[in-house]
Each structure stands twice: as structure tokens, then as C-alpha cells.
């Protein structure tokens, strides 16, 4: 078995990535409350640049302060943020690694909404169903404003020297809230038919193109299938693969240079990040969200109480079963067959042969990796040295995700370490060097 | 110090999780230095990681923190203001303990009665290491060019847990008699003196009035004022240069910061503490029950017009007993009240926190002839409870024309001067 396919450069329209491995978007609360980036965020991203990935897709970067998911992610919502991104991009480039900024807007899916805006904006005014997060239905004027915010975010990314941008169109955030037939309940030109539901996404893409010109990389991350019934079978199914493929075709016509395929119409979702539902960590980490939504106190009681928590865990883990690595390859292949631009796939990749086979089979052109790179930031180097799966692989426990609300992002699965102390030491390495290093 | 007004210690989660300082902390401090306070007492500053009370406060636990404090001190000095670093150890009173240590060190192995924060009874060897950590931290403060240090011996943190007869249940050299309960604090003063020499300022903050039963009425009431005064005398003998008078065996406490118990803000921020203590979930549920929380509010809160200068009696008592300067904290924002306290000899200076959060330019207002600021601090205590999840600042909307104006003011801390 050879894994050579992983190390062949990937040619986009405007630049080339040295290999087929992307660090997928991963956000930790490393930044200032107002969204200004910090030295710590740079330390975080540089871990992966040093570890050999070909490109990094940034953390979820809100294009407007109302669109944050939780405070302390780095925003790209104002010109004052550009110097931070510029310095970060330059430092990443020193490692022969490309940098793509993920432009995002949470919509109603705001886990900790912060003090500035009481409600999120959405296609609908119905509460987000898991936590009961409140929202208001966007007016036409607000939609227009936000389209401009995405375009301005793209301009800032370009000014910062980033190699491209990714429009975050998936995982239940605002663009999904428009695309999804399970969420979008509008009667106007932004709801109803697929064409109408896709209008907002297409307007965003066209506005970005108009702002940054034709020679700048623009990729689109999309939920290929909503899988709306995965958690509770009485919920709506949502957008189908066929519908998403049609949307991708329209997006390609509008000027998209690549697609990034994910799944699920919420975040988190049983299929993304697929794997464990770590009840104990959830009880410790979810408490801080109780004041966020209408259902959060109820949820906290469920997570705290046996056997309700075991049932919830069963419902959650049932959807993905054991097929975490490459869970989206089937959907990705369907998208790739329908478009002529490169297609990236996310979902638990950490085995060299699995990745190489996927590329050779033509399921995708590259893979994006989140959790397994947290576990092993040097994953690409391990593969290069001939290792197929890292000696201490990611267990998909999802403890990284749950802990990041209150604690520094990192791997919290003690079973992967010799001791808890070793784990904590590893987590805290992100703070070295500090902002004032002398 | 060029005048008699100190910015008292006030924290805010502006720094990194591991305790390294940030530009935002510098911005926050400069706001007060610019407006003319004579000296700033730093935020709660941990000398040892196990003693941190909340992640995101700048620490002085190791030498690589010195550059940050050096930069901060330099910038504050440029504005003619002195800077005193508050050296602290939370003991068991860790609101959000972080990922490194499951419990805090204390005089006792008992959890704190209000939240149920877990504790481990410190061994004499562990206590010697704490003392050493304070000495090393003071040395770093001096290296950083700061003007002095304040040992945080008040408000329920580690030293209170030893000093207080209501908490300390030891029967070794660190418990029992007042002398024994004061041993850790006095050893710390001596260790710092040894590290920094005779010519470096060292003050001690102490809860003179303990009132350990102020909220949970079934608890013991703790040290008498006479006992606290005796401790102050010993502190002077051991080499303290000034005493800073506060109150209460916990933080927060009905006596400090006195005023309202803003239940909505408490509830919305307390949720994140549920995983911190064994009683915290019960408390959170109680905060959600209207009848119970009205009772809590009644027991906890204090009329707003009885807050200013509420520690002056104790301060005067201490001042009569010692020959070093005495600072007094507690809601000061009226020029005539402060002037009277100084001329009456109740204290040598006042330290101010909440009213300066509300009006960072308080001194300029006094200098311009205002007795009280036009928009005084209301003692709503919303600043305190919001700081757990949101940036430190004034959250009392009634003091602003609009919520937007309030937010703008809160966010201004992120703008570098």
C-alpha cells in the first residue's frame, strides 16, 4: 500500500497546496472578548503549520459581531482585525503552509451569545431546537447588510495576505438556516423553493466575487445532507443530497473554486463531529450554557441524571456507529461527480491508507482534519515516516469539543496520555510563548 | 504616593487561561492611572497555580511573568501613579478552579459551606512551599520595577482560612490559638522581607471584621475585631509597612462588596460555577426560585446609602493600635466623606474599586468641585457578577442613557491607549 497520493500537490485555480491535507476549522476561546485575535491563537495555528499540513482553514471567524457562536474567537468583522490576521498568515506561510480564512455567521446557533446582542439573526424566528436559543427573522435589509459583511470579510482576508477564504455554509450556521428545508420557513424570495433557499448563499458568493475580484480563492463549506432525523426521528429530514448537489452547481457557476463537504444541520450533530458523547465532560462543560437558551436547564438535568443521560448518549452515538473515519466520503463523491472544481472532505481522517484510497478512488481531492490533528498535530509527519495510523490515535471522544467552552482547546482524553498531568501540560503548551515574552 | 486615593484590587478575566498577562489588562489599569489615583493595587494576582481563583487573571507564579508586569509598571509610572502588586492565594475559595487541580489547599479539609468548593488540608511541608512562593513572587515584583506588594490576607482566601477561628480547624502549629492561626501569614511577611530586603514596600490586606455568619446564620461568627487588631500589631512587628482594612470571611460577602445582590446577574453567571462545587447546583436551583431568592436577597443585601465608609470604625480601631499607615476600603465616592475620614484620623488613605469602575475619572470630578459624581456607583454589584462570563465593567444600565452606551463603555477596555 502506498500513501503517495497524499503528498501530491493540490492545484487550485489561484494557488497550489503542497499536499492533500488541510487543518479543518477548529476554534478555541483564545482571543479577546471583542473578537480581536491574540498571540495564543497564533500559537495554536502554528502547531499545525509546523506539523506539516498543506493548508490551514482558520477558526470560525465572524464577519459581524452578532454572528459569534461564543465570545473569544477571532473575528474578521472590522478593519482593525486585519493586522492580527496578516501577522498570523505571514507566520504560517513561513512553514510553507497556506492559509484560508473561514468567514462565518452563527445565526440562531449562538451557544454563548455574549452581551452585545440578545438574539441571533436567522431565516426564521423559531428557536434553535436543541438548546432553545432565541432568534429573530432577518428582514431583507438585514440580509443585504450581512451579504455586504461577508464581502468585506473577504476583502479583509485578502488584505491580510490570506490565500483564500471559505464561506461557512454548513453545520447549522446561518447559511444552513437558509438552505435547510427543515429550518427555513420563509414565505418571501429567500424561502420555499430550493432556488429561494439558496438565494442568500449565492448572493454572498457573488458579493464576495465582486469585492475581491476573479483571482482570489473562494471555497464553500456545505452540508451535503441535513440528516435532520439523526437525533430524534420525529424531527424533519431537511435538505437531501440531490438538492445540495444542485446548490453546488449553482455555486460553482457563481464563482466558487472548491467545495468542502460536511454534514448535519446543527452543530454539534451526531454525524459531526461523529463519535462519542462524553457525558461527564458534558455535565462539567454545559453548565455555563444554562443561561443561553430555553431548553438548556432541561438539557443539563438530562445530562446530569441517569438513565436520561445514558438514553441521550445512546440516541446521539447511534447515528454514526463506528463509521467515524470517512463518514462523509459517500456524500463527497456524489458532489465531486457533479462539479468540476476540487472537493475537500472532512470527517475523522487519521489513517494514511484511508486518505490515499479516497483520493485515488476520486471520492475527494483533499481531506480536512480537525480532531485527529488536535490529538496528533504532527499527523502528516507521522504519515510521511511510514506510519499508517498514529500510535496514539484520536479516539473521537469529543472531549475536546465539550471542554472548549470553559477550558483551553486541546485533547482531553486522558486515556491517550500517561497521566493527567501530561495531558494538562500538553494542553497548556498553546500559551507558549505569551504575548509579553520579554 | 501623590495623594490619598488608591484604586483597590479589581480583577476581570482579561488575561490568558494560564495566567500570562495581556495588553487588555494594561489598558484596564491605565484607565485609572490616567485619571489621577495616587496608586493602583493590582488585580488579584496568584503566586501559585493551585491557588488561582478563576482562570484569566494575570499571575506572578514564575519568572517568565516578569516582562509583562515590567511593561505594565512602566506604563503606569509614566502617568505618575504608583503600582502595588497584590500577591494572593485562593486556598479552597476557587470559583472556577480550572483543569489543573481538583481542589484547593486550605487550613481545613472541609469544603466551603456556601458553594461546596472542595479543599485539601495542607501539610506543613505544603505550607512552607506556599510561603516560599510568596517570597519568590515578591522578589519578581521588585525585579519588574513595581513599587511594592500587598499580601492578600482578607476576604476568605488562603490566609483568612487560617486566621479565622470559624474556618481553621487544625490542631497543629497552624491552628488553635490566634498566634498559631496567624503563623502562616506572619511567616509569609518574614519570608518576603528576607527576599526583597528592608527597602521595598509591603502591605497586608486583612478582614478586620469577619462576620462569618452574616449569610449562613448557623455558622460560627469568626474572629473578633480585637483579635484582628492583635494580628495587625504582629504584622507591623514582622515588617509590614501598611495595613489595608477590609471585611468578611468569604468573597463575595454581605459586607464586601456591600450593596445589592443582583439575582438575575448572579443566576446568569453562576451557571458556569455549577461544576465547581458540590453545593453549587443546589444554589443555582435556589436562585431560580422567586420566593427563596427574595429571602436570600433580604439577608445578603445592604441599603445602598449604608455602604460608603462602612469599614471606617474598624479602620480607626486598627489605626490606633499600629504606627504604620492604614488604608480603608468600602464604597468611597463622596469627597467630603473621604476628607472627613482622613482628617478624623480614621485612615491614612482610601482604596476604591466599584465607584472607580463606574467613574474612572472620580478624582478629576472631585478636583472639579463635585462632592459626588453626577452618576455615582449604585452598589448594584453587577460588575462583580458579570465578570465571570463577560468583560469587567459597569453593568448597571440605569447609569447610562442606553444599553448601547453601556456596552460601548465596557468594550472600551479593548482599545489600546
Amino acid at each position: 500500500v502506498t500513501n503517495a497520493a497524499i503528498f501530491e500537490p493540490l492545484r487550485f485555480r489561484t494557488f497550489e497546496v503542497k499536499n492533500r491535507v488541510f487543518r479543518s476549522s477548529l476554534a478555541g476561546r483564545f482571543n479577546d472578548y471583542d473578537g480581536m485575535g491574540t498571540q495564543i491563537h497564533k500559537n495554536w495555528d502554528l502547531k499545525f503549520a509546523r506539523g506539516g499540513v498543506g493548508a490551514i482553514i482558520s477558526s470560525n471567524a465572524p464577519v459581524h459581531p452578532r454572528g459569534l457562536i461564543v465570545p473569544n474567537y477571532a473575528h474578521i468583522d472590522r478593519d482593525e482585525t486585519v493586522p492580527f490576521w496578516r501577522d498570523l498568515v505571514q507566520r504560517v506561510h513561513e512553514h510553507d503552509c497556506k492559509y484560508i480564512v473561514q468567514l462565518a455567521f452563527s445565526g440562531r446557533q449562538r451557544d454563548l451569545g455574549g452581551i452585545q446582542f440578545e438574539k441571533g439573526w436567522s431565516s426564521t424566528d423559531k428557536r434553535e431546537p436543541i438548546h432553545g436559543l432565541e432568534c429573530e427573522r432577518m428582514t431583507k435589509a438585514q440580509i443585504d447588510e450581512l451579504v455586504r459583511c461577508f464581502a468585506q470579510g473577504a476583502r479583509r482576508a485578502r488584505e491580510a495576505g490570506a490565500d483564500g477564504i471559505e464561506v461557512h455554509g454548513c453545520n447549522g450556521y446561518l447559511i444552513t438556516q437558509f438552505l435547510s428545508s427543515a429550518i427555513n420557513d420563509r414565505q418571501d424570495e429567500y424561502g420555499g423553493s430550493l432556488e429561494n433557499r439558496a438565494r442568500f448563499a449565492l448572493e454572498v458568493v457573488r458579493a464576495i466575487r465582486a469585492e475581491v475580484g476573479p483571482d482570489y480563492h473562494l471555497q464553500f463549506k456545505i452540508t451535503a445532507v441535513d440528516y435532520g432525523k439523526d437525533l430524534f426521528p420525529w424531527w424533519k429530514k431537511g435538505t437531501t443530497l440531490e438538492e445540495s448537489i444542485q446548490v453546488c452547481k449553482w455555486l460553482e457557476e457563481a464563482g466558487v473554486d472548491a467545495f468542502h463537504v460536511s454534514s448535519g444541520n446543527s452543530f454539534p450533530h451526531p454525524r459531526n463531529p461523529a463519535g462519542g458523547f462524553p457525558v461527564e465532560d458534558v455535565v462539567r462543560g454545559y453548565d455555563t450554557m444554562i443561561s443561553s437558551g430555553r431548553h438548556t436547564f432541561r438539557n443539563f438535568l438530562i445530562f446530569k441524571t441517569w438513565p436520561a443521560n445514558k438514553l441521550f448518549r445512546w440516541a446521539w452515538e447511534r447515528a454514526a456507529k463506528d463509521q467515524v473515519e470517512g463518514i462523509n466520503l459517500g456524500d463527497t463523491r456524489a458532489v465531486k461527480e457533479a462539479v468540476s472544481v476540487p472537493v475537500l472532505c472532512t470527517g475523522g481522517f487519521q489513517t494514511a491508507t484511508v486518505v490515499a484510497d479516497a483520493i485515488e478512488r476520486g471520492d475527494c481531492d483533499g481531506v480536512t482534519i480537525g480532531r485527529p490533528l488536535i490529538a496528533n498535530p504532527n499527523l502528516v509527519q507521522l504519515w510521511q515516516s511510514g506510519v499508517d495510523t498514529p500510535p496514539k490515535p484520536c479516539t473521537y471522544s469529543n472531549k475536546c469539543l465539550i471542554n472548549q467552552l470553559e477550558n483551553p482547546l486541546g485533547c482531553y482524553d486522558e486515556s491517550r496520555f500517561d497521566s493527567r498531568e501530561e495531558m494538562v501540560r500538553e494542553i497548556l503548551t498553546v500559551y507558549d510563548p505569551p504575548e509579553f515574552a520579554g | 504616593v501623590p495623594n490619598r486615593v488608591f484604586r483597590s484590587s479589581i480583577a476581570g478575566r482579561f488575561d490568558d487561561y494560564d495566567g500570562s498577562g495581556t495588553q487588555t489588562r494594561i489598558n484596564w489599569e491605565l484607565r485609572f492611572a490616567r485619571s489621577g489615583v495616587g496608586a493602583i493595587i493590582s488585580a488579584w494576582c496568584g503566586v501559585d497555580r493551585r491557588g488561582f481563583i478563576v482562570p484569566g487573571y494575570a499571575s506572578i507564579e514564575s519568572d517568565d511573568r516578569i516582562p509583562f508586569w515590567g511593561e505594565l509598571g512602566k506604563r503606569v509610572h509614566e502617568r505618575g501613579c504608583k503600582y502595588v502588586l497584590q500577591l494572593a492565594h485562593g486556598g479552597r475559595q476557587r470559583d472556577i478552579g480550572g483543569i489543573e487541580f481538583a481542589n484547593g489547599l486550605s487550613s481545613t479539609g472541609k469544603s466551603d459551606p456556601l458553594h461546596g468548593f472542595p479543599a485539601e488540608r495542607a501539610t506543613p511541608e505544603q505550607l512552607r512551599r506556599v510561603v516560599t512562593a510568596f517570597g519568590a513572587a515578591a522578589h519578581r515584583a521588585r525585579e519588574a520595577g513595581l513599587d511594592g506588594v500587598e499580601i492578600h490576607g482578607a476576604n476568605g482566601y488562603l490566609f483568612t482560612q487560617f486566621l479565622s477561628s470559624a474556618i481553621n480547624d487544625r490542631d497543629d502549629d497552624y491552628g488553635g490559638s490566634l498566634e498559631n492561626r496567624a503563623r502562616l501569614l506572619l511567616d509569609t511577611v518574614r519570608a518576603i522581607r528576607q527576599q526583597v530586603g528592608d527597602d521595598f514596600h509591603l502591605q497586608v490586606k486583612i478582614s478586620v471584621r469577619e462576620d462569618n455568619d452574616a449569610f449562613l446564620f448557623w455558622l460560627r461568627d469568626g474572629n473578633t475585631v480585637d483579635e484582628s487588631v492583635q494580628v495587625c500589631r504582629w504584622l507591623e512587628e514582622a515588617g509590614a509597612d501598611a495595613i489595608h482594612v477590609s471585611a468578611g470571611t468569604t468573597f463575595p460577602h454581605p459586607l464586601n462588596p456591600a450593596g445589592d445582590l443582583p439575582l438575575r446577574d448572579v443566576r446568569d453567571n453562576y451557571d458556569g460555577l455549577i461544576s465547581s462545587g458540590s453545593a453549587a447546583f443546589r444554589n443555582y436551583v435556589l436562585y431560580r426560585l422567586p420566593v427563596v431568592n427574595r429571602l436570600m436577597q433580604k439577608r445578603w443585601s445592604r441599603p445602598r446609602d449604608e455602604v460608603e465608609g462602612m469599614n471606617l470604625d474598624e479602620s480607626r480601631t486598627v489605626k490606633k493600635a499600629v504606627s504604620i499607615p492604614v488604608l480603608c476600603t468600602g464604597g468611597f465616592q463622596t469627597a467630603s466623606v473621604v476628607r472627613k475620614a482622613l482628617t478624623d484620623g480614621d485612615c491614612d488613605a482610601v482604596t476604591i474599586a466599584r465607584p472607580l469602575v463606574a467613574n474612572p475619572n472620580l478624582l478629576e470630578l472631585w478636583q472639579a468641585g463635585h462632592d459626588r459624581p453626577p452618576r455615582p456607583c449604585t452598589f448594584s454589584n453587577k460588575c462583580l457578577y458579570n465578570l465571570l462570563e463577560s468583560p469587567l465593567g459597569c453593568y448597571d444600565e440605569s447609569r447610562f442613557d442606553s444599553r448601547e452606551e453601556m456596552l460601548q463603555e465596557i468594550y472600551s477596555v479593548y482599545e489600546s491607549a
Side-chain angles (χ1 to χ4, degrees):
Chain A
V1 182
T2 167
N3 56 25
I6 298 173
F7 299 98
E8 272 172 36
L10 174 59
R11 184 74 220 159
F12 287 130
R13 201 168 53 81
T14 52
F15 67 93
E16 191 175 273
V17 180
K18 69 182 172 189
N19 59 40
R20 301 300 178 104
V21 184
F22 292 63
R23 205 286 314 269
S24 199
S25 186
L26 280 173
R29 302 182 66 183
F30 293 131
N31 304 286
D32 287 337
Y33 191 92
D34 68 338
M36 194 60 85
T38 65
Q39 175 66 38
I40 312 307
H41 187 118
K42 293 175 196 170
N43 296 348
W44 174 257
D45 279 348
L46 285 167
K47 274 180 195 250
F48 306 101
R50 273 195 294 271
V53 298
I56 289 175
I57 301 167
S58 80
S59 60
N60 181 295
V63 296
H64 185 282
R66 194 189 277 264
L68 58 73
I69 306 171
V70 300
N72 306 99
Y73 291 174
H75 294 199
I76 193 156
D77 57 2
R78 55 199 190 274
D79 288 351
E80 289 77 17
T81 62
V82 172
F84 161 76
W85 292 106
R86 184 180 293 130
D87 188 56
L88 171 54
V89 168
Q90 193 193 332
R91 305 274 305 277
V92 167
H93 281 169
E94 284 165 12
H95 298 274
D96 190 22
C97 178
K98 301 295 182 185
Y99 203 85
I100 295 167
V101 178
Q102 185 183 67
L103 306 181
F105 192 95
S106 58
R108 66 179 186 177
Q109 204 166 259
R110 303 190 317 154
D111 298 330
L112 299 170
I115 56 175
Q116 259 187 305
F117 302 97
E118 209 184 323
K119 290 180 179 181
W121 277 346
S122 185
S123 63
T124 173
D125 53 11
K126 291 210 180 69
R127 272 180 229 123
E128 175 279 336
I130 300 176
H131 313 292
L133 308 171
E134 304 276 359
C135 62
E136 54 189 78
R137 186 188 301 271
M138 291 173 81
T139 63
K140 171 72 174 130
Q142 288 165 339
I143 290 173
D144 290 345
E145 184 192 338
L146 206 50
V147 167
R148 283 193 295 275
C149 288
F150 270 97
Q152 291 304 308
R155 171 185 60 79
R156 292 181 195 113
R158 180 160 207 177
E159 279 174 20
D163 301 286
I165 55 104
E166 169 170 288
V167 175
H168 195 352
C170 66
N171 305 139
Y173 297 110
L174 184 67
I175 292 178
T176 311
Q177 290 159 33
F178 276 90
L179 287 172
S180 172
S181 60
I183 302 172
N184 186 335
D185 59 357
R186 299 177 77 94
Q187 310 282 323
D188 63 0
E189 71 265 38
Y190 292 95
S193 69
L194 182 63
E195 202 181 344
N196 281 356
R197 285 184 276 129
R199 191 177 307 279
F200 177 62
L202 289 162
E203 285 180 358
V204 166
V205 167
R206 289 195 197 101
I208 291 173
R209 265 287 164 250
E211 182 65 37
V212 298
D215 59 339
Y216 194 59
H217 179 74
L218 189 176
Q219 65 186 46
F220 193 98
K221 189 173 188 183
I222 189 163
T223 285
V225 184
D226 267 16
Y227 296 108
K229 290 176 175 294
D230 268 22
L231 186 53
F232 298 116
W234 56 90
W235 284 4
K236 284 184 196 158
K237 179 168 85 145
T239 307
T240 63
L241 184 58
E242 292 68 34
E243 288 177 308
S244 296
I245 286 172
Q246 180 57 58
V247 172
C248 289
K249 285 181 184 156
W250 288 332
L251 286 166
E252 187 180 358
E253 281 168 32
V256 164
D257 292 316
F259 288 98
H260 182 182
V261 176
S262 185
S263 60
N265 62 4
S266 66
F267 189 86
H269 181 279
R271 294 176 66 98
N272 180 62
F277 185 83
V279 172
E280 279 175 34
D281 293 65
V282 171
V283 171
R284 277 199 301 272
Y286 191 79
D287 56 357
T288 200
M289 273 183 69
I290 291 178
S291 50
S292 294
R294 286 289 194 92
H295 310 326
T296 42
F297 186 59
R298 176 203 69 190
N299 292 352
F300 182 75
L301 291 177
I302 290 173
F303 300 153
K304 209 178 145 59
T305 316
W306 185 91
N309 53 12
K310 290 287 184 287
L311 269 171
F312 190 92
R313 180 184 182 155
W314 171 81
W316 189 275
E317 293 181 349
R318 170 183 52 112
K321 296 188 191 71
D322 293 330
Q323 46 144 177
V324 175
E325 183 164 12
I327 187 169
N328 296 316
L329 278 172
D331 296 339
T332 305
R333 187 188 180 87
V335 171
K336 186 162 166 54
E337 280 167 359
V339 299
S340 53
V341 292
V343 177
L344 312 175
C345 179
T346 194
F349 292 108
Q350 61 181 340
T351 308
T353 44
V354 171
V355 174
D357 286 354
I359 295 167
E360 277 171 6
R361 260 201 321 270
D363 291 351
C364 62
D365 298 285
V367 295
T368 77
I369 307 177
R371 294 167 296 164
L373 278 170
I374 297 182
N376 294 287
N378 62 340
L379 180 62
V380 175
Q381 284 161 357
L382 288 171
W383 286 345
Q384 237 157 353
S385 71
V387 173
D388 195 34
T389 308
K392 289 186 171 178
C394 172
T395 59
Y396 311 117
S397 71
N398 284 329
K399 292 181 179 179
C400 50
L401 172 71
I402 296 301
N403 274 280
Q404 69 94 21
L405 278 173
E406 294 186 347
N407 301 320
L409 182 58
C411 178
Y412 283 80
D413 187 348
E414 269 184 65
S415 75
R416 293 192 57 256
F417 298 88
D418 293 335
S419 65
R420 180 164 171 90
E421 288 65 41
E422 193 201 332
M423 179 186 89
V424 169
R425 213 177 312 134
E426 177 61 33
I427 290 167
L428 294 178
T429 56
V430 70
Y431 294 101
D432 187 33
E435 182 178 348
F436 291 89
Chain B
V1 177
N3 59 42
R4 300 303 176 106
V5 182
F6 291 60
R7 205 290 311 276
S8 197
S9 184
I10 189 155
R13 301 181 68 178
F14 293 131
D15 303 296
D16 290 330
Y17 189 94
D18 71 333
S20 37
T22 65
Q23 181 62 44
T24 308
R25 168 76 50 201
I26 295 178
N27 300 346
W28 173 257
E29 300 292 52
L30 289 179
R31 171 184 291 205
F32 305 100
R34 267 198 303 276
S35 75
V37 297
I40 290 175
I41 302 167
S42 78
W44 199 104
C45 179
V47 300
D48 178 82
R49 204 167 279 208
R50 189 160 180 187
F52 290 4
I53 51 174
V54 172
Y57 292 175
S59 78
I60 183 119
E61 56 166 343
S62 54
D63 288 348
D64 56 15
R65 302 289 186 253
I66 294 173
F68 166 73
W69 292 108
E71 173 69 15
L72 174 50
K74 191 180 85 171
R75 302 285 304 278
V76 169
H77 286 159
E78 282 166 7
R79 284 151 181 87
C81 179
K82 302 294 180 187
Y83 200 83
V84 176
L85 191 66
Q86 186 182 68
L87 307 181
H89 191 297
R92 69 180 182 182
Q93 193 167 272
R94 305 184 318 150
D95 299 294
I96 300 177
I99 58 174
E100 288 179 85
F101 300 96
N103 55 26
L105 290 177
S106 186
S107 61
T108 173
K110 295 202 182 86
S111 309
D112 98 283
L114 185 55
H115 312 284
F117 300 144
E120 177 184 327
R121 184 191 300 269
T123 64
E125 177 52 34
Q126 285 172 320
L127 293 176
R128 278 189 285 275
R129 280 205 294 272
V130 167
V131 169
T132 307
F134 272 92
H139 186 74
R140 289 180 199 117
R142 181 163 202 167
E143 292 277 291
L146 308 181
D147 302 293
V149 292
E150 168 172 286
I151 301 175
H152 197 345
N155 307 138
Y157 299 110
L158 183 67
F159 292 112
T160 309
Q161 290 158 35
F162 276 83
L163 286 171
S164 177
S165 59
I167 302 173
N168 186 333
D169 60 359
R170 299 173 80 94
D171 47 19
D172 64 359
D173 293 348
Y174 296 93
S177 67
L178 181 63
E179 202 180 345
N180 279 356
R181 301 199 312 269
R183 188 177 309 280
L184 182 69
L185 180 56
L186 293 167
D187 284 353
T188 301
V189 170
R190 290 186 205 105
I192 290 177
R193 267 286 162 251
Q194 212 167 20
Q195 281 289 320
V196 297
D198 288 336
D199 57 341
F200 190 63
H201 178 74
L202 164 58
Q203 65 188 45
V204 182
K205 188 175 191 181
I206 182 168
S207 288
V208 174
R209 204 173 140 192
E210 290 208 326
D211 281 14
N212 188 58
D213 56 350
F215 184 62
L216 302 178
F217 55 87
W218 58 88
L219 300 176
R220 280 182 290 165
D221 62 350
N223 292 357
T224 62
V225 171
D226 288 347
E227 286 179 302
S228 299
V229 169
Q230 178 57 52
V231 173
C232 292
R233 286 200 197 97
W234 287 335
L235 287 168
E236 183 179 2
E237 280 167 30
D241 294 317
I243 302 287
H244 183 180
V245 174
S246 187
T249 49
T250 59
F251 189 85
H253 183 279
L255 291 177
N256 179 62
D260 300 357
L261 183 67
L263 273 163
R264 200 202 140 115
D265 300 69
V266 172
R267 190 180 57 217
D268 287 354
N269 283 273
Y270 194 82
D271 57 358
L273 261 66
I274 291 177
S275 46
S276 296
S278 56
F281 179 65
R282 175 203 69 194
N283 294 348
Y284 179 77
V285 173
L286 292 177
Y287 294 141
R288 289 175 72 100
L289 304 175
V291 179
V292 183
N293 61 37
R294 264 196 298 278
L295 285 170
M296 289 169 116
Q297 213 156 20
K298 210 170 159 69
R299 184 145 182 91
W300 188 283
S301 55
R302 187 183 188 89
R304 290 175 172 190
D305 57 0
E306 291 174 22
V307 173
E308 184 164 8
M310 54 179 287
N311 295 318
L312 280 172
D313 287 346
E314 288 75 22
S315 175
R316 184 169 49 245
T317 310
V318 171
K319 192 161 163 49
K320 281 184 188 147
V322 300
S323 53
I324 49 180
V326 175
L327 314 177
C328 181
T329 194
F332 292 106
Q333 60 181 341
T334 310
S336 53
V337 172
V338 173
R339 195 183 326 118
K340 184 167 185 309
L342 295 171
T343 51
D344 289 357
D346 294 348
C347 60
D348 297 284
V350 295
T351 75
I352 307 177
R354 293 170 295 165
L356 278 169
V357 174
N359 293 288
N361 62 340
L362 182 62
L363 267 87
E364 288 165 3
L365 291 169
W366 285 349
Q367 258 157 347
H370 289 277
D371 193 35
R372 288 188 96 195
R375 290 181 168 186
C377 172
T378 59
F379 308 119
S380 74
N381 283 328
K382 292 183 178 177
C383 51
L384 172 67
Y385 294 100
N386 277 281
L387 80 78
L388 284 168
E389 292 187 356
S390 309
L392 181 58
C394 178
Y395 284 79
D396 187 348
E397 270 184 64
S398 73
R399 293 191 57 258
F400 299 89
D401 292 335
S402 64
R403 182 167 170 88
E404 286 63 43
E405 194 201 329
M406 181 185 89
L407 291 172
Q408 217 174 331
E409 178 61 30
I410 290 167
Y411 273 80
S412 64
V413 69
Y414 293 104
E415 285 158 27
S416 296

